[in-house]
Amino acid sequence: MTIQENLNTIGYAGKMLRVDLTQSRLWAEDLSEETVKKWVGGVGLGAKFLYDEVPPGVEWADPENRLIWTTGPLAGSDVAGAATVNIMAKGPMTNLAGASQANGFMGAYMKFSGFDGIIFQGKAPHLVYLVIRDGAGELRDARHLAGKDVDQLETLLREELKAKEHDVSIFGIGPAGESRVRFACISGDRGHAAGHNGLGAVMGAKNLKAVVTYKGKRRFTFADPSGLKQRAKESVEFAKNFGVIYKWGTGGGFSAIHDGGALPVKNYTTNLFPEHEKMNGQYLRTHFKVRSRPCYRCAIAHVKEVEVTEGPYKGFVGEEPEYEQLAAWGPQIGNTDLGAVVMLANEVDKLGIDCNEAGWVVGWAMECYEKSVFTARETEGIDLSWGNVEAVKTLLHRIVHRQGYLGNLLAEGVMRASQTVGGKAADWAIYGGKGAAPRTHDHRGKMRWYELVDTCLSNTSTLESTWGGIHPKLVDMEEPTDCFSHEQVSSFNARYNGIRQFDDLVGTCRLASPAPKLVLACFNAATGWNWTLEDAFAAGRRVVHLLRVFNFRHGLDIADEKPSVRYGSVPVDGPAKGVDIMEKWDWMRKNYYTLMGWDAKTGKPLPETLRAHDLEALIADLD
């Protein structure tokens, strides 16, 4: 049995597709058993290729930057939602590593088409799209798709290819990616997005409009198919009883987040939003018309299509907003109409921008307008008063086309925009010091310090060690007793780091498979590797350490590993009123470094840490 045939028996296609856009050349490359044993898949494979092929000096828009799409050994299996695609590049928001995952169908279809991943290099001479089918790829002219939003792109490509809705998976960029808006995302399969660190801008810089993969047939098997089926069933049953997502979606936690002082309201100027109960998932699913639009084999089916039944946007039909979209286009911009949230969330998806960064930059601009930093002159006549949703819609279109002074300014993201304006307005912007804004929470609130620390210290400036809060009991860890303890929060984040990266190695959706030990059981049934929980943590931490070294080689300054002035400010009201995370920030950071096995002063992984994770070759790179 060849190496590729062996990989085919444990959940791998066994090949990567290489695409040189400059030369219009495509070729397949075998994966080695040694590579998959060490890096598994998903974010692991992506990080390995990013590190190996993007040396210091290559900037995010450079043709030599890589755009890497990978999936894991569980993708295309019977595990619910096992079609996650991981996308990586050096990203424009931080000029450091970018990694983001999207669900839908792409991860499974890519495997069915014969590849565990795709590596793009170079820049096409004009706009193109890639079609993958039956183990082969083809670049096609996409100039007729220029300027199309993501919905139009999907519809036009399905018509062009004469493909039914689920015959193909399509991910691409809207006008934001073509305009190289720094927070452009890669979206597809009717509303799924790889949103963080501007990966859509990297795609636009390469003149790549879309990737299309055909469904195809599974050409790989698993070590223990019956065991995998049983473990997958157990995982679904757990997910159905885990929190509120199965019944109410991610918006089901909206009011609880408000009650913990963690709902962002008018750019952190308050934590009070009395209208929260008319904007949560419970209200939406009992007052609007809703029907399921599940991802690949997903029994959780949390993705819904919704029709607005009340208010000025009655009759509007689109995808149900996730929690972060509810927060971004509701309280963050001072909007109290749920129908308007649905409209704006779908508009953002179509335009191809990250809802998180977009919400922060628009909210900051509205505060600047309220305080007369921006006037009608800067807004070119747009009334950016809190809650003016039509003005927000107009502004979003200006941003994605870099139209006018404000559109071009805000297209750079909230950190760069605020620093350009300067003065007091610079202190009102919410972002991590490396350049990217957080997810749309008030991380100063109850149970959210974990995510604030994670956002500022992670390799990709989004959540790395945590997800949806913390869940220590799921990995046999002790629950912290004080969520406002500088020591407990920083220590827990360091000890927990690794297991959620393991999720992103294997190719599953966290919403459909939230229990790490059950994900591990599915992984073992697929591969036959019999890994322990400790092995899963170690695999995830290996990726963390590798990306840490990548970032240092690309200019990481640990002085940037802190929140902006407003992001780290003291809440003026709500449950966290008067609580100050910055009081011991430097101590928290050093404590985290130490527990991660990094030098407390420099933040660099220690030689013994790298050796322990089979990364000894990186020691010389750090020097």
Side-chain angles (χ1 to χ4, degrees), residues 279 321 325-327 329-330 335 337-346 389:
M279 199 166 279
Q325 293 171 313
L326 290 170
W329 308 119
N335 166 43
D337 179 64
L338 180 56
V341 174
V342 176
M343 181 276 292
L344 285 174
N346 281 269
V389 294

Side-chain angles (χ1 to χ4, degrees), residues 325-442:
Q325 293 171 313
L326 290 170
W329 308 119
Q332 165 60 4
I333 64 166
N335 166 43
T336 59
D337 179 64
L338 180 56
V341 174
V342 176
M343 181 276 292
L344 285 174
N346 281 269
E347 198 70 19
V348 165
D349 281 349
K350 290 195 301 182
L351 295 172
I353 47 177
D354 173 29
C355 79
N356 295 290
E357 187 80 33
W360 295 122
V361 79
V362 170
W364 172 77
M366 296 177 93
E367 184 175 350
C368 287
Y369 186 78
E370 178 189 41
K371 296 176 178 177
S372 300
V373 173
F374 292 154
T375 66
R377 178 180 177 183
E378 286 79 20
T379 69
E380 298 176 76
I382 303 178
D383 175 10
L384 286 181
S385 299
W386 294 114
N388 190 341
V389 294
E390 284 299 320
V392 169
K393 181 179 178 181
T394 299
L395 181 59
L396 291 170
H397 279 261
R398 290 188 182 181
I399 290 171
V400 302
H401 292 101
R402 288 185 173 270
Q403 180 184 349
Y405 164 77
L406 203 55
N408 193 54
L409 175 73
L410 302 185
E412 291 295 294
V414 72
M415 182 188 79
R416 291 172 177 83
S418 64
Q419 290 174 347
T420 298
V421 172
K424 291 184 292 184
D427 291 343
W428 304 336
I430 295 165
Y431 58 88
K434 285 181 282 201
R439 294 173 185 257
T440 312
H441 296 76
D442 189 331

Side-chain angles (χ1 to χ4, degrees), residues 152-478:
Q152 293 168 332
L153 173 68
E154 289 197 53
T155 298
L156 290 169
L157 281 177
R158 285 185 173 86
E159 291 174 356
E160 189 170 309
L161 298 168
K162 296 180 174 58
K164 295 179 181 178
E165 190 70 19
H166 292 311
D167 288 348
V168 292
S169 173
I170 301 173
F171 272 74
I173 56 173
E178 293 179 50
S179 299
R180 301 190 194 183
V181 173
R182 279 188 185 261
F183 50 97
C185 63
I186 300 172
S187 302
D189 289 347
R190 304 300 184 189
H192 301 277
H196 299 286
N197 212 346
L199 298 173
V202 177
M203 195 164 169
K206 292 187 174 299
N207 272 335
L208 178 63
K209 181 67 174 176
V211 175
V212 181
T213 57
Y214 276 80
K215 184 177 182 179
K217 295 180 180 179
R218 184 190 292 169
R219 294 176 176 83
F220 51 89
T221 58
F222 301 99
D224 179 9
S226 61
L228 177 57
K229 187 173 183 179
Q230 179 59 34
R231 301 289 86 76
K233 182 179 178 181
E234 293 169 7
S235 187
V236 165
E237 291 309 308
F238 181 91
K240 287 180 178 180
N241 295 289
F242 182 72
V244 299
I245 290 174
Y246 180 59
K247 186 173 184 179
W248 303 117
T250 58
F254 190 86
S255 289
I257 290 170
H258 170 269
D259 293 343
L263 194 66
V265 186
K266 293 185 178 179
N267 208 41
Y268 278 22
T269 57
T270 178
N271 287 108
L272 307 179
F273 189 66
E275 300 84 359
H276 64 90
E277 290 185 345
K278 283 200 168 186
M279 199 166 279
N280 60 27
Q282 291 85 338
Y283 186 91
L284 188 151
R285 291 194 176 183
T286 55
H287 287 75
F288 290 0
K289 294 179 181 178
V290 176
R291 71 181 183 93
S292 292
R293 279 186 16 193
C295 299
Y296 172 81
R297 288 186 177 274
C298 187
I300 303 303
H302 99 280
V303 178
K304 308 291 185 185
E305 181 180 84
V306 57
E307 179 181 342
V308 178
T309 58
E310 60 190 36
Y313 297 94
K314 182 178 180 179
F316 182 93
V317 177
E319 184 172 334
E320 177 189 51
E322 300 285 2
Y323 159 77
E324 286 157 342
Q325 293 171 313
L326 290 170
W329 308 119
Q332 165 60 4
I333 64 166
N335 166 43
T336 59
D337 179 64
L338 180 56
V341 174
V342 176
M343 181 276 292
L344 285 174
N346 281 269
E347 198 70 19
V348 165
D349 281 349
K350 290 195 301 182
L351 295 172
I353 47 177
D354 173 29
C355 79
N356 295 290
E357 187 80 33
W360 295 122
V361 79
V362 170
W364 172 77
M366 296 177 93
E367 184 175 350
C368 287
Y369 186 78
E370 178 189 41
K371 296 176 178 177
S372 300
V373 173
F374 292 154
T375 66
R377 178 180 177 183
E378 286 79 20
T379 69
E380 298 176 76
I382 303 178
D383 175 10
L384 286 181
S385 299
W386 294 114
N388 190 341
V389 294
E390 284 299 320
V392 169
K393 181 179 178 181
T394 299
L395 181 59
L396 291 170
H397 279 261
R398 290 188 182 181
I399 290 171
V400 302
H401 292 101
R402 288 185 173 270
Q403 180 184 349
Y405 164 77
L406 203 55
N408 193 54
L409 175 73
L410 302 185
E412 291 295 294
V414 72
M415 182 188 79
R416 291 172 177 83
S418 64
Q419 290 174 347
T420 298
V421 172
K424 291 184 292 184
D427 291 343
W428 304 336
I430 295 165
Y431 58 88
K434 285 181 282 201
R439 294 173 185 257
T440 312
H441 296 76
D442 189 331
H443 284 153
R444 305 169 305 168
K446 191 175 181 180
M447 293 302 296
R448 297 295 160 176
W449 274 21
Y450 301 96
E451 296 181 13
L452 194 156
V453 171
D454 198 5
T455 300
C456 292
L457 300 184
S458 77
N459 290 296
T460 57
S461 296
T462 185
L463 301 188
E464 179 179 82
S465 65
T466 61
W467 168 75
I470 58 169
H471 311 286
K473 293 180 180 178
L474 297 183
V475 289
D476 304 328
M477 289 178 66
E478 190 174 330

Side-chain angles (χ1 to χ4, degrees), residues 541-561:
R541 288 173 80 95
R542 180 178 295 121
V543 175
V544 172
H545 297 315
L546 179 77
L547 291 178
R548 185 74 176 175
V549 179
F550 176 90
N551 283 346
F552 272 113
R553 296 182 78 208
H554 285 260
L556 169 63
D557 184 344
I558 62 169
D560 294 330
E561 294 198 305

Side-chain angles (χ1 to χ4, degrees), residues 127 142-149 152-153 156 174-175 178 209:
L127 214 56
R143 281 175 283 191
H144 60 297
L145 300 170
K148 302 300 183 187
D149 69 35
Q152 293 168 332
L153 173 68
L156 290 169
E178 293 179 50
K209 181 67 174 176

